[in-house]
Amino acid sequence: MNDLSKIFVGLVLLCSILSAGADVKVFVTNQGSNSVTVYSFDGKFELLREVQVGKAPAGVALSTVNREAYISNTESSEISVIDVDSLEVKKTIDLNGSSLGVAVSPDGKRLFVSDWFNNCLLVIQLSSHKRRCIEVGKAPAGISVSEKNDEIYVVSRDSNSVFVVSLSEEKVIGKILVGDHPFGLKLSPVKNHLYVTNVQSNDVSIVDLTEHKEIKRIKVGKKPYCITFSMSGEKSFVTNQYSDSISIINTDLLLLEKTVASASFPEGIDTHGPFIIFVSWLDEEIVAIDERDQSVVSYASTGINPRNFGDFIFVE
């Protein structure tokens, strides 16, 4: 695809994404105020509601099938389930451990939760709340689900690995060594690659999911936390907690392109159209920047110490 074609495709996508009637809601987990703040977003943020949840919420996953947001409350051993329409907690799923990362199956029938203390991936049937525990190494954190590969990827921080779990069979089928203390992860939208942030070695591992092996490790800022991709998938954006910055990786060349300053202690990061949206734990803000020049487009105050570990933008 030549440059002119890319520009045309990008404009078509942008127009469709930002067209009238699109319902976009951004969910922010506020660890310090035990709440989730929800915003509409159409190029600027507007607060819709603050929802009280369990203690120290961190992780978030969304289901368009169920029209629900799943919030991991790290200190109260439970998952809060929020109705995305009424913006009310409709139920709570009790756990026997400490939840962190959370993801939902594409069909909306199962919830996947990383149990930090019990070193397992919890698989919860949403209709009955029956669950099973799959051992996935020490201190599991981020989770990503690939329907295409029929696989679940679970970061094991203290094992310096990503465990590969069969989505259909619910059993471990592989283990991929990455950098030191991996934490966040994200699937590439255009390649069969998984990007993993390594908070101790200050780099990002790029994993080839066809071969189940790391193919590149790229140095970024201090304590990289989460990662997202541009609308085209040609760039990835990494939040560096201790550097107050975002590193931008060229996904074609697999090279660090540049690092730009951000709000203080950036954590969760996600994408909507041409906007890269992230939260600042220290400044207690949610910020939208233009993916092209990284200029700030909009920002809003959040609750206390926002985390947003996971995918947090709901689009109709």
Side-chain angles (χ1 to χ4, degrees):
M1 184 182 291
N2 60 36
D3 290 341
L4 188 59
S5 297
K6 289 179 181 179
I7 292 171
F8 176 76
V9 170
L11 288 172
V12 170
L13 287 171
L14 175 58
C15 290
S16 64
I17 288 168
L18 300 181
S19 62
D23 184 9
V24 179
K25 291 176 181 172
V26 181
F27 290 76
V28 176
T29 55
N30 303 303
Q31 189 175 40
S33 49
N34 302 326
S35 68
V36 173
T37 39
V38 187
Y39 306 82
S40 63
F41 181 75
D42 60 359
K44 65 179 181 179
F45 296 107
E46 182 177 343
L47 179 64
L48 297 175
R49 188 167 186 178
E50 183 170 9
V51 184
Q52 293 301 310
V53 291
K55 191 173 181 180
V60 56
L62 301 166
S63 171
T64 55
V65 175
N66 300 336
R67 301 189 67 80
E68 293 175 338
Y70 305 93
I71 308 299
S72 66
N73 301 306
T74 60
E75 294 181 16
S76 54
S77 298
E78 62 189 9
I79 302 291
S80 295
V81 182
I82 299 174
D83 184 299
V84 300
D85 296 307
S86 66
L87 300 182
E88 295 179 347
V89 175
K90 60 189 294 186
K91 60 184 172 182
T92 299
I93 303 172
D94 293 326
L95 305 174
N96 183 26
S98 178
S99 60
L100 182 57
V102 60
V104 64
S105 62
D107 61 8
K109 294 181 179 180
R110 292 174 291 170
L111 188 68
F112 307 111
V113 181
S114 58
D115 188 332
W116 183 265
F117 290 154
N118 292 318
N119 299 321
C120 73
L121 174 69
L122 283 174
V123 182
I124 301 172
Q125 300 294 329
L126 286 170
S127 60
S128 63
H129 293 184
K130 290 182 179 178
R131 76 274 320 263
R132 60 178 304 219
C133 179
I134 303 170
E135 294 185 4
V136 287
K138 297 179 179 179
I143 306 170
S144 282
V145 178
S146 171
E147 186 175 20
K148 172 186 172 183
N149 295 341
D150 189 40
E151 292 175 342
I152 309 164
Y153 308 103
V154 186
V155 165
S156 172
R157 190 196 68 173
D158 292 354
S159 301
N160 296 332
S161 302
V162 174
F163 280 74
V164 184
V165 178
S166 168
L167 178 61
S168 56
E169 298 181 5
E170 296 180 2
K171 66 179 183 180
V172 174
I173 58 174
K175 178 182 175 182
I176 305 164
L177 292 176
V178 289
D180 296 339
H181 284 192
F183 201 76
L185 76 172
K186 191 84 166 186
L187 290 162
S188 165
V190 293
K191 297 181 180 179
N192 199 22
H193 288 172
L194 181 71
Y195 283 55
V196 181
T197 56
N198 304 305
V199 298
Q200 191 65 40
S201 50
N202 299 321
D203 50 29
V204 171
S205 292
I206 300 171
V207 175
D208 185 322
L209 294 175
T210 302
E211 301 293 332
H212 281 181
K213 69 177 183 180
E214 182 188 55
I215 58 171
K216 188 74 179 282
R217 201 176 294 178
I218 300 172
K219 280 288 184 183
V220 288
K222 293 180 181 179
K223 305 295 183 185
Y225 185 75
C226 287
I227 191 163
T228 193
F229 290 87
S230 62
M231 182 169 55
S232 66
E234 294 177 348
K235 299 182 190 299
S236 65
F237 294 76
V238 183
T239 52
N240 303 304
Q241 291 175 311
Y242 284 20
S243 298
D244 297 339
S245 66
I246 295 174
S247 292
I248 303 172
I249 295 172
N250 184 309
T251 60
D252 289 328
L253 301 176
L254 301 185
L255 294 173
L256 178 66
E257 191 168 281
K258 62 179 175 178
T259 297
V260 297
S262 72
S264 300
F265 217 82
E267 296 218 348
I269 189 167
D270 205 349
T271 302
H272 174 58
F275 304 110
I276 305 299
I277 298 176
F278 67 96
V279 296
S280 163
W281 186 87
L282 197 58
D283 291 338
E284 296 172 350
E285 292 178 337
I286 183 162
V287 182
I289 61 174
D290 188 311
E291 70 166 46
R292 295 161 297 184
D293 60 8
Q294 297 83 56
S295 60
V296 174
V297 175
S298 181
Y299 64 92
S301 297
T302 63
I304 300 171
N305 303 142
R307 299 295 305 275
N308 277 29
F309 189 57
D311 299 328
F312 55 85
I313 302 175
F314 182 89
V315 183
E316 291 285 359

